[in-house]
Amino acid sequence: TSGTKTLTLDTVAPVVAITAPAAGSTVSSAGVAVTGTVNDTAVSMALLILNGGMPQVVPVVGGAFSQNITLVPGANTIIVVTTDRVGNTSSSGAPLTVTLDNTKPGVAVTAPANRLLTNVASLTVTGTTDELTGVGTLYLNGVAQPLSIASWDGSFSRAVPLVAGDNTIEVRVADRAVP
């Protein structure tokens, strides 16, 4: 008698991809969901490594995973590793970096002086912010106007027309962190 056996050679590691958060993104909340896919539906778990720490076991269901994590202020690195049933291992590639920025930008209006009395119908509002990549808005008597911020030193300057009587000037800067 003879026996026939069929064997399968599998040397291909599963492909894992992180779909969120986006690489290089800046967020304002420490709680973030890491989601992604694995192209091998037989894979039932992955390991998520945050900032080089202890791996967290993450369930993979139908080729997809999702895990809530807590970021620390500043840059955070995320990597996901999977292994198929025969031991082929792969990772999501180079560590994905996400920055947690949960501090509000500082703003200083250096001119004009507060309570300035003038007979000039136009003046220049100047100042600085510590948010070099922020988005600025100047409010003159409650009306919003875009304000450019110099990316090299955080300075801003904008000429504004005044109306007779009291004028209110406010500068707001929002950072680029998304909720």
Side-chain angles (χ1 to χ4, degrees):
T1 94
S2 69
T4 302
K5 304 229 182 210
T6 302
L7 303 172
T8 302
L9 175 63
D10 178 3
T11 60
V12 179
V15 176
V16 58
I18 298 173
T19 55
S25 61
T26 300
V27 298
S28 61
S29 177
V32 172
V34 176
T35 60
T37 60
V38 179
N39 74 337
D40 183 341
T41 56
V43 171
S44 62
M45 70 163 208
L47 297 175
L48 186 149
I49 303 164
L50 174 62
N51 296 325
M54 292 294 296
Q56 301 174 44
V57 176
V58 177
V60 177
V61 178
F65 61 88
S66 181
Q67 179 69 36
N68 292 327
I69 61 170
T70 303
L71 302 175
V72 297
N76 292 264
T77 57
I78 302 166
I79 193 162
V80 176
V81 178
T82 59
T83 303
D84 67 14
R85 61 185 174 183
V86 296
N88 297 313
T89 300
S90 70
S91 75
S92 54
L96 178 140
T97 300
V98 177
T99 301
L100 171 60
D101 179 358
N102 57 359
T103 58
K104 294 184 179 185
V107 178
V109 176
T110 55
N114 196 24
R115 302 193 189 282
L116 176 71
L117 180 62
T118 184
N119 62 357
V120 179
S122 178
L123 55 82
T124 301
V125 177
T126 61
T128 59
T129 179
D130 58 5
E131 188 63 48
L132 303 181
T133 61
V135 177
T137 306
L138 184 146
Y139 292 86
L140 177 61
N141 300 319
V143 178
Q145 302 176 33
L147 183 65
S148 295
I149 298 171
S151 62
W152 56 90
D153 67 358
S155 63
F156 55 84
S157 177
R158 180 169 179 125
V160 295
L162 301 177
V163 296
D166 290 339
N167 288 267
T168 303
I169 296 170
E170 179 184 4
V171 174
R172 295 182 195 169
V173 176
D175 59 26
R176 297 205 183 270
V178 294

PDB file of all heavy atoms in Angstrom, residues 18 21-25 32 34 47-56 69-80 92-100:
ATOM      1  N   ILE A  18      -1.790  50.091   8.857  1.00  0.00           N
ATOM      2  CA  ILE A  18      -2.517  50.965   9.772  1.00  0.00           C
ATOM      3  C   ILE A  18      -3.272  51.985   8.915  1.00  0.00           C
ATOM      4  O   ILE A  18      -2.671  52.676   8.102  1.00  0.00           O
ATOM      5  CB  ILE A  18      -1.556  51.671  10.752  1.00  0.00           C
ATOM      6  CG1 ILE A  18      -0.833  50.643  11.631  1.00  0.00           C
ATOM      7  CG2 ILE A  18      -2.320  52.696  11.608  1.00  0.00           C
ATOM      8  CD1 ILE A  18       0.248  51.240  12.512  1.00  0.00           C
ATOM      9  N   PRO A  21      -4.566  56.246  13.116  1.00  0.00           N
ATOM     10  CA  PRO A  21      -4.517  57.622  12.652  1.00  0.00           C
ATOM     11  C   PRO A  21      -3.535  57.768  11.486  1.00  0.00           C
ATOM     12  O   PRO A  21      -2.732  56.873  11.220  1.00  0.00           O
ATOM     13  CB  PRO A  21      -4.022  58.397  13.875  1.00  0.00           C
ATOM     14  CG  PRO A  21      -3.208  57.399  14.638  1.00  0.00           C
ATOM     15  CD  PRO A  21      -3.870  56.067  14.393  1.00  0.00           C
ATOM     16  N   ALA A  22      -3.607  58.897  10.828  1.00  0.00           N
ATOM     17  CA  ALA A  22      -2.739  59.149   9.683  1.00  0.00           C
ATOM     18  C   ALA A  22      -1.300  59.389  10.149  1.00  0.00           C
ATOM     19  O   ALA A  22      -1.065  60.038  11.168  1.00  0.00           O
ATOM     20  CB  ALA A  22      -3.233  60.369   8.906  1.00  0.00           C
ATOM     21  N   ALA A  23      -0.359  58.871   9.390  1.00  0.00           N
ATOM     22  CA  ALA A  23       1.058  59.089   9.690  1.00  0.00           C
ATOM     23  C   ALA A  23       1.365  60.574   9.648  1.00  0.00           C
ATOM     24  O   ALA A  23       0.920  61.288   8.769  1.00  0.00           O
ATOM     25  CB  ALA A  23       1.922  58.347   8.689  1.00  0.00           C
ATOM     26  N   GLY A  24       2.097  61.045  10.654  1.00  0.00           N
ATOM     27  CA  GLY A  24       2.496  62.444  10.707  1.00  0.00           C
ATOM     28  C   GLY A  24       1.418  63.379  11.209  1.00  0.00           C
ATOM     29  O   GLY A  24       1.611  64.593  11.207  1.00  0.00           O
ATOM     30  N   SER A  25       0.297  62.840  11.645  1.00  0.00           N
ATOM     31  CA  SER A  25      -0.798  63.701  12.092  1.00  0.00           C
ATOM     32  C   SER A  25      -0.536  64.266  13.488  1.00  0.00           C
ATOM     33  O   SER A  25       0.273  63.741  14.254  1.00  0.00           O
ATOM     34  CB  SER A  25      -2.133  62.946  12.075  1.00  0.00           C
ATOM     35  OG  SER A  25      -2.093  61.832  12.947  1.00  0.00           O
ATOM     36  N   VAL A  32      -6.893  57.819  21.227  1.00  0.00           N
ATOM     37  CA  VAL A  32      -6.903  57.635  19.777  1.00  0.00           C
ATOM     38  C   VAL A  32      -7.192  56.166  19.483  1.00  0.00           C
ATOM     39  O   VAL A  32      -6.691  55.283  20.167  1.00  0.00           O
ATOM     40  CB  VAL A  32      -5.537  58.025  19.173  1.00  0.00           C
ATOM     41  CG1 VAL A  32      -5.447  57.664  17.707  1.00  0.00           C
ATOM     42  CG2 VAL A  32      -5.264  59.500  19.367  1.00  0.00           C
ATOM     43  N   VAL A  34      -6.516  53.145  17.001  1.00  0.00           N
ATOM     44  CA  VAL A  34      -5.639  52.669  15.929  1.00  0.00           C
ATOM     45  C   VAL A  34      -6.424  51.590  15.191  1.00  0.00           C
ATOM     46  O   VAL A  34      -6.845  50.600  15.783  1.00  0.00           O
ATOM     47  CB  VAL A  34      -4.322  52.090  16.483  1.00  0.00           C
ATOM     48  CG1 VAL A  34      -3.471  51.514  15.354  1.00  0.00           C
ATOM     49  CG2 VAL A  34      -3.558  53.141  17.252  1.00  0.00           C
ATOM     50  N   LEU A  47      -0.088  42.426  17.400  1.00  0.00           N
ATOM     51  CA  LEU A  47       0.549  43.087  18.533  1.00  0.00           C
ATOM     52  C   LEU A  47       0.733  44.555  18.184  1.00  0.00           C
ATOM     53  O   LEU A  47       1.319  44.877  17.150  1.00  0.00           O
ATOM     54  CB  LEU A  47       1.899  42.451  18.854  1.00  0.00           C
ATOM     55  CG  LEU A  47       1.864  40.991  19.277  1.00  0.00           C
ATOM     56  CD1 LEU A  47       3.281  40.453  19.456  1.00  0.00           C
ATOM     57  CD2 LEU A  47       1.068  40.821  20.564  1.00  0.00           C
ATOM     58  N   LEU A  48       0.226  45.438  19.030  1.00  0.00           N
ATOM     59  CA  LEU A  48       0.374  46.881  18.845  1.00  0.00           C
ATOM     60  C   LEU A  48       1.422  47.365  19.835  1.00  0.00           C
ATOM     61  O   LEU A  48       1.316  47.080  21.038  1.00  0.00           O
ATOM     62  CB  LEU A  48      -0.958  47.591  19.086  1.00  0.00           C
ATOM     63  CG  LEU A  48      -0.974  49.083  18.780  1.00  0.00           C
ATOM     64  CD1 LEU A  48      -2.370  49.485  18.306  1.00  0.00           C
ATOM     65  CD2 LEU A  48      -0.589  49.926  19.959  1.00  0.00           C
ATOM     66  N   ILE A  49       2.412  48.084  19.321  1.00  0.00           N
ATOM     67  CA  ILE A  49       3.500  48.586  20.170  1.00  0.00           C
ATOM     68  C   ILE A  49       3.474  50.114  20.110  1.00  0.00           C
ATOM     69  O   ILE A  49       3.627  50.696  19.034  1.00  0.00           O
ATOM     70  CB  ILE A  49       4.863  48.035  19.712  1.00  0.00           C
ATOM     71  CG1 ILE A  49       4.824  46.501  19.714  1.00  0.00           C
ATOM     72  CG2 ILE A  49       5.982  48.570  20.595  1.00  0.00           C
ATOM     73  CD1 ILE A  49       5.935  45.847  18.938  1.00  0.00           C
ATOM     74  N   LEU A  50       3.250  50.731  21.259  1.00  0.00           N
ATOM     75  CA  LEU A  50       3.190  52.191  21.367  1.00  0.00           C
ATOM     76  C   LEU A  50       4.466  52.683  22.040  1.00  0.00           C
ATOM     77  O   LEU A  50       4.790  52.255  23.153  1.00  0.00           O
ATOM     78  CB  LEU A  50       1.960  52.610  22.181  1.00  0.00           C
ATOM     79  CG  LEU A  50       1.806  54.084  22.508  1.00  0.00           C
ATOM     80  CD1 LEU A  50       1.662  54.917  21.229  1.00  0.00           C
ATOM     81  CD2 LEU A  50       0.609  54.309  23.426  1.00  0.00           C
ATOM     82  N   ASN A  51       5.182  53.546  21.374  1.00  0.00           N
ATOM     83  CA  ASN A  51       6.395  54.169  21.912  1.00  0.00           C
ATOM     84  C   ASN A  51       7.430  53.154  22.391  1.00  0.00           C
ATOM     85  O   ASN A  51       8.131  53.381  23.373  1.00  0.00           O
ATOM     86  CB  ASN A  51       6.038  55.135  23.046  1.00  0.00           C
ATOM     87  CG  ASN A  51       5.203  56.291  22.553  1.00  0.00           C
ATOM     88  OD1 ASN A  51       5.391  56.757  21.436  1.00  0.00           O
ATOM     89  ND2 ASN A  51       4.264  56.742  23.371  1.00  0.00           N
ATOM     90  N   GLY A  52       7.525  52.024  21.686  1.00  0.00           N
ATOM     91  CA  GLY A  52       8.524  51.007  22.021  1.00  0.00           C
ATOM     92  C   GLY A  52       8.225  50.257  23.307  1.00  0.00           C
ATOM     93  O   GLY A  52       9.078  49.519  23.795  1.00  0.00           O
ATOM     94  N   GLY A  53       7.037  50.412  23.855  1.00  0.00           N
ATOM     95  CA  GLY A  53       6.673  49.763  25.119  1.00  0.00           C
ATOM     96  C   GLY A  53       6.247  48.318  24.943  1.00  0.00           C
ATOM     97  O   GLY A  53       6.519  47.680  23.921  1.00  0.00           O
ATOM     98  N   MET A  54       5.549  47.829  25.951  1.00  0.00           N
ATOM     99  CA  MET A  54       5.065  46.447  25.943  1.00  0.00           C
ATOM    100  C   MET A  54       4.002  46.275  24.861  1.00  0.00           C
ATOM    101  O   MET A  54       3.093  47.090  24.750  1.00  0.00           O
ATOM    102  CB  MET A  54       4.456  46.089  27.305  1.00  0.00           C
ATOM    103  CG  MET A  54       5.471  46.014  28.435  1.00  0.00           C
ATOM    104  SD  MET A  54       6.651  44.663  28.224  1.00  0.00           S
ATOM    105  CE  MET A  54       5.591  43.257  28.311  1.00  0.00           C
ATOM    106  N   PRO A  55       4.096  45.204  24.077  1.00  0.00           N
ATOM    107  CA  PRO A  55       3.088  44.956  23.045  1.00  0.00           C
ATOM    108  C   PRO A  55       1.716  44.692  23.656  1.00  0.00           C
ATOM    109  O   PRO A  55       1.598  44.038  24.691  1.00  0.00           O
ATOM    110  CB  PRO A  55       3.602  43.701  22.328  1.00  0.00           C
ATOM    111  CG  PRO A  55       5.046  43.616  22.673  1.00  0.00           C
ATOM    112  CD  PRO A  55       5.186  44.229  24.039  1.00  0.00           C
ATOM    113  N   GLN A  56       0.683  45.244  23.020  1.00  0.00           N
ATOM    114  CA  GLN A  56      -0.700  44.992  23.411  1.00  0.00           C
ATOM    115  C   GLN A  56      -1.302  44.018  22.407  1.00  0.00           C
ATOM    116  O   GLN A  56      -1.183  44.229  21.203  1.00  0.00           O
ATOM    117  CB  GLN A  56      -1.529  46.271  23.376  1.00  0.00           C
ATOM    118  CG  GLN A  56      -1.040  47.383  24.270  1.00  0.00           C
ATOM    119  CD  GLN A  56      -1.860  48.647  24.048  1.00  0.00           C
ATOM    120  OE1 GLN A  56      -3.076  48.615  23.954  1.00  0.00           O
ATOM    121  NE2 GLN A  56      -1.176  49.781  23.949  1.00  0.00           N
ATOM    122  N   ILE A  69      -5.903  53.573  22.249  1.00  0.00           N
ATOM    123  CA  ILE A  69      -4.649  53.776  22.969  1.00  0.00           C
ATOM    124  C   ILE A  69      -4.656  55.177  23.579  1.00  0.00           C
ATOM    125  O   ILE A  69      -5.479  56.014  23.216  1.00  0.00           O
ATOM    126  CB  ILE A  69      -3.417  53.616  22.044  1.00  0.00           C
ATOM    127  CG1 ILE A  69      -3.452  54.646  20.903  1.00  0.00           C
ATOM    128  CG2 ILE A  69      -3.310  52.196  21.520  1.00  0.00           C
ATOM    129  CD1 ILE A  69      -2.162  54.703  20.090  1.00  0.00           C
ATOM    130  N   THR A  70      -3.723  55.406  24.491  1.00  0.00           N
ATOM    131  CA  THR A  70      -3.575  56.723  25.106  1.00  0.00           C
ATOM    132  C   THR A  70      -2.187  57.256  24.773  1.00  0.00           C
ATOM    133  O   THR A  70      -1.176  56.666  25.162  1.00  0.00           O
ATOM    134  CB  THR A  70      -3.763  56.643  26.631  1.00  0.00           C
ATOM    135  OG1 THR A  70      -5.053  56.083  26.897  1.00  0.00           O
ATOM    136  CG2 THR A  70      -3.663  58.017  27.264  1.00  0.00           C
ATOM    137  N   LEU A  71      -2.162  58.375  24.058  1.00  0.00           N
ATOM    138  CA  LEU A  71      -0.904  59.001  23.665  1.00  0.00           C
ATOM    139  C   LEU A  71      -0.337  59.832  24.810  1.00  0.00           C
ATOM    140  O   LEU A  71      -1.073  60.272  25.691  1.00  0.00           O
ATOM    141  CB  LEU A  71      -1.124  59.896  22.445  1.00  0.00           C
ATOM    142  CG  LEU A  71      -1.705  59.242  21.197  1.00  0.00           C
ATOM    143  CD1 LEU A  71      -1.982  60.294  20.129  1.00  0.00           C
ATOM    144  CD2 LEU A  71      -0.781  58.171  20.666  1.00  0.00           C
ATOM    145  N   VAL A  72       0.967  60.081  24.755  1.00  0.00           N
ATOM    146  CA  VAL A  72       1.617  61.001  25.685  1.00  0.00           C
ATOM    147  C   VAL A  72       1.881  62.301  24.920  1.00  0.00           C
ATOM    148  O   VAL A  72       1.963  62.291  23.689  1.00  0.00           O
ATOM    149  CB  VAL A  72       2.936  60.415  26.250  1.00  0.00           C
ATOM    150  CG1 VAL A  72       2.661  59.161  27.067  1.00  0.00           C
ATOM    151  CG2 VAL A  72       3.938  60.127  25.150  1.00  0.00           C
ATOM    152  N   PRO A  73       2.003  63.439  25.617  1.00  0.00           N
ATOM    153  CA  PRO A  73       2.288  64.693  24.910  1.00  0.00           C
ATOM    154  C   PRO A  73       3.571  64.580  24.076  1.00  0.00           C
ATOM    155  O   PRO A  73       4.544  63.969  24.499  1.00  0.00           O
ATOM    156  CB  PRO A  73       2.444  65.711  26.034  1.00  0.00           C
ATOM    157  CG  PRO A  73       1.612  65.157  27.150  1.00  0.00           C
ATOM    158  CD  PRO A  73       1.803  63.654  27.057  1.00  0.00           C
ATOM    159  N   GLY A  74       3.531  65.153  22.886  1.00  0.00           N
ATOM    160  CA  GLY A  74       4.677  65.101  21.984  1.00  0.00           C
ATOM    161  C   GLY A  74       4.521  63.990  20.961  1.00  0.00           C
ATOM    162  O   GLY A  74       3.426  63.501  20.701  1.00  0.00           O
ATOM    163  N   ALA A  75       5.638  63.568  20.398  1.00  0.00           N
ATOM    164  CA  ALA A  75       5.632  62.543  19.350  1.00  0.00           C
ATOM    165  C   ALA A  75       5.424  61.155  19.944  1.00  0.00           C
ATOM    166  O   ALA A  75       5.999  60.817  20.978  1.00  0.00           O
ATOM    167  CB  ALA A  75       6.940  62.586  18.567  1.00  0.00           C
ATOM    168  N   ASN A  76       4.588  60.362  19.303  1.00  0.00           N
ATOM    169  CA  ASN A  76       4.304  58.979  19.691  1.00  0.00           C
ATOM    170  C   ASN A  76       4.516  58.092  18.478  1.00  0.00           C
ATOM    171  O   ASN A  76       4.132  58.466  17.362  1.00  0.00           O
ATOM    172  CB  ASN A  76       2.850  58.842  20.144  1.00  0.00           C
ATOM    173  CG  ASN A  76       2.571  59.560  21.443  1.00  0.00           C
ATOM    174  OD1 ASN A  76       2.599  58.961  22.497  1.00  0.00           O
ATOM    175  ND2 ASN A  76       2.309  60.860  21.361  1.00  0.00           N
ATOM    176  N   THR A  77       5.108  56.905  18.691  1.00  0.00           N
ATOM    177  CA  THR A  77       5.305  55.970  17.584  1.00  0.00           C
ATOM    178  C   THR A  77       4.406  54.748  17.783  1.00  0.00           C
ATOM    179  O   THR A  77       4.214  54.279  18.906  1.00  0.00           O
ATOM    180  CB  THR A  77       6.768  55.518  17.475  1.00  0.00           C
ATOM    181  OG1 THR A  77       7.173  54.922  18.710  1.00  0.00           O
ATOM    182  CG2 THR A  77       7.672  56.690  17.135  1.00  0.00           C
ATOM    183  N   ILE A  78       3.849  54.288  16.661  1.00  0.00           N
ATOM    184  CA  ILE A  78       2.946  53.136  16.679  1.00  0.00           C
ATOM    185  C   ILE A  78       3.417  52.157  15.616  1.00  0.00           C
ATOM    186  O   ILE A  78       3.720  52.547  14.488  1.00  0.00           O
ATOM    187  CB  ILE A  78       1.498  53.572  16.350  1.00  0.00           C
ATOM    188  CG1 ILE A  78       1.016  54.628  17.342  1.00  0.00           C
ATOM    189  CG2 ILE A  78       0.561  52.374  16.313  1.00  0.00           C
ATOM    190  CD1 ILE A  78      -0.254  55.343  16.912  1.00  0.00           C
ATOM    191  N   ILE A  79       3.457  50.881  15.993  1.00  0.00           N
ATOM    192  CA  ILE A  79       3.764  49.825  15.028  1.00  0.00           C
ATOM    193  C   ILE A  79       2.863  48.638  15.356  1.00  0.00           C
ATOM    194  O   ILE A  79       2.537  48.402  16.529  1.00  0.00           O
ATOM    195  CB  ILE A  79       5.266  49.448  15.055  1.00  0.00           C
ATOM    196  CG1 ILE A  79       5.632  48.593  13.859  1.00  0.00           C
ATOM    197  CG2 ILE A  79       5.660  48.796  16.342  1.00  0.00           C
ATOM    198  CD1 ILE A  79       7.121  48.537  13.568  1.00  0.00           C
ATOM    199  N   VAL A  80       2.424  47.920  14.342  1.00  0.00           N
ATOM    200  CA  VAL A  80       1.594  46.736  14.522  1.00  0.00           C
ATOM    201  C   VAL A  80       2.304  45.565  13.849  1.00  0.00           C
ATOM    202  O   VAL A  80       2.780  45.678  12.718  1.00  0.00           O
ATOM    203  CB  VAL A  80       0.182  46.935  13.925  1.00  0.00           C
ATOM    204  CG1 VAL A  80      -0.641  45.659  14.045  1.00  0.00           C
ATOM    205  CG2 VAL A  80      -0.526  48.099  14.613  1.00  0.00           C
ATOM    206  N   SER A  92       3.760  46.642  10.293  1.00  0.00           N
ATOM    207  CA  SER A  92       3.142  47.714   9.517  1.00  0.00           C
ATOM    208  C   SER A  92       4.178  48.615   8.870  1.00  0.00           C
ATOM    209  O   SER A  92       3.829  49.621   8.271  1.00  0.00           O
ATOM    210  CB  SER A  92       2.208  48.533  10.414  1.00  0.00           C
ATOM    211  OG  SER A  92       2.898  48.988  11.567  1.00  0.00           O
ATOM    212  N   GLY A  93       5.427  48.257   8.979  1.00  0.00           N
ATOM    213  CA  GLY A  93       6.499  49.041   8.358  1.00  0.00           C
ATOM    214  C   GLY A  93       7.184  49.925   9.374  1.00  0.00           C
ATOM    215  O   GLY A  93       7.186  49.646  10.574  1.00  0.00           O
ATOM    216  N   ALA A  94       7.743  51.013   8.910  1.00  0.00           N
ATOM    217  CA  ALA A  94       8.409  51.957   9.818  1.00  0.00           C
ATOM    218  C   ALA A  94       7.389  52.470  10.820  1.00  0.00           C
ATOM    219  O   ALA A  94       6.200  52.595  10.492  1.00  0.00           O
ATOM    220  CB  ALA A  94       8.998  53.116   9.023  1.00  0.00           C
ATOM    221  N   PRO A  95       7.811  52.737  12.045  1.00  0.00           N
ATOM    222  CA  PRO A  95       6.851  53.231  13.032  1.00  0.00           C
ATOM    223  C   PRO A  95       6.112  54.476  12.543  1.00  0.00           C
ATOM    224  O   PRO A  95       6.713  55.390  11.985  1.00  0.00           O
ATOM    225  CB  PRO A  95       7.727  53.563  14.241  1.00  0.00           C
ATOM    226  CG  PRO A  95       8.938  52.702  14.086  1.00  0.00           C
ATOM    227  CD  PRO A  95       9.148  52.609  12.592  1.00  0.00           C
ATOM    228  N   LEU A  96       4.807  54.454  12.716  1.00  0.00           N
ATOM    229  CA  LEU A  96       3.956  55.580  12.362  1.00  0.00           C
ATOM    230  C   LEU A  96       4.047  56.594  13.506  1.00  0.00           C
ATOM    231  O   LEU A  96       3.972  56.203  14.671  1.00  0.00           O
ATOM    232  CB  LEU A  96       2.517  55.067  12.205  1.00  0.00           C
ATOM    233  CG  LEU A  96       1.434  56.050  11.873  1.00  0.00           C
ATOM    234  CD1 LEU A  96       0.485  55.413  10.874  1.00  0.00           C
ATOM    235  CD2 LEU A  96       0.669  56.423  13.118  1.00  0.00           C
ATOM    236  N   THR A  97       4.231  57.862  13.189  1.00  0.00           N
ATOM    237  CA  THR A  97       4.357  58.889  14.224  1.00  0.00           C
ATOM    238  C   THR A  97       3.106  59.749  14.268  1.00  0.00           C
ATOM    239  O   THR A  97       2.645  60.229  13.229  1.00  0.00           O
ATOM    240  CB  THR A  97       5.594  59.773  13.979  1.00  0.00           C
ATOM    241  OG1 THR A  97       6.757  58.940  13.993  1.00  0.00           O
ATOM    242  CG2 THR A  97       5.742  60.837  15.056  1.00  0.00           C
ATOM    243  N   VAL A  98       2.572  59.922  15.476  1.00  0.00           N
ATOM    244  CA  VAL A  98       1.424  60.789  15.736  1.00  0.00           C
ATOM    245  C   VAL A  98       1.821  61.696  16.892  1.00  0.00           C
ATOM    246  O   VAL A  98       2.364  61.232  17.900  1.00  0.00           O
ATOM    247  CB  VAL A  98       0.170  59.981  16.112  1.00  0.00           C
ATOM    248  CG1 VAL A  98      -0.986  60.896  16.442  1.00  0.00           C
ATOM    249  CG2 VAL A  98      -0.200  59.030  15.002  1.00  0.00           C
ATOM    250  N   THR A  99       1.557  62.985  16.761  1.00  0.00           N
ATOM    251  CA  THR A  99       1.929  63.946  17.802  1.00  0.00           C
ATOM    252  C   THR A  99       0.695  64.384  18.577  1.00  0.00           C
ATOM    253  O   THR A  99      -0.307  64.759  17.974  1.00  0.00           O
ATOM    254  CB  THR A  99       2.624  65.167  17.178  1.00  0.00           C
ATOM    255  OG1 THR A  99       3.794  64.713  16.477  1.00  0.00           O
ATOM    256  CG2 THR A  99       3.028  66.179  18.237  1.00  0.00           C
ATOM    257  N   LEU A 100       0.794  64.322  19.898  1.00  0.00           N
ATOM    258  CA  LEU A 100      -0.269  64.835  20.764  1.00  0.00           C
ATOM    259  C   LEU A 100       0.096  66.253  21.165  1.00  0.00           C
ATOM    260  O   LEU A 100       1.109  66.493  21.819  1.00  0.00           O
ATOM    261  CB  LEU A 100      -0.438  63.966  22.014  1.00  0.00           C
ATOM    262  CG  LEU A 100      -1.379  64.523  23.085  1.00  0.00           C
ATOM    263  CD1 LEU A 100      -2.790  64.713  22.533  1.00  0.00           C
ATOM    264  CD2 LEU A 100      -1.400  63.624  24.309  1.00  0.00           C
TER     265      LEU A 100
END
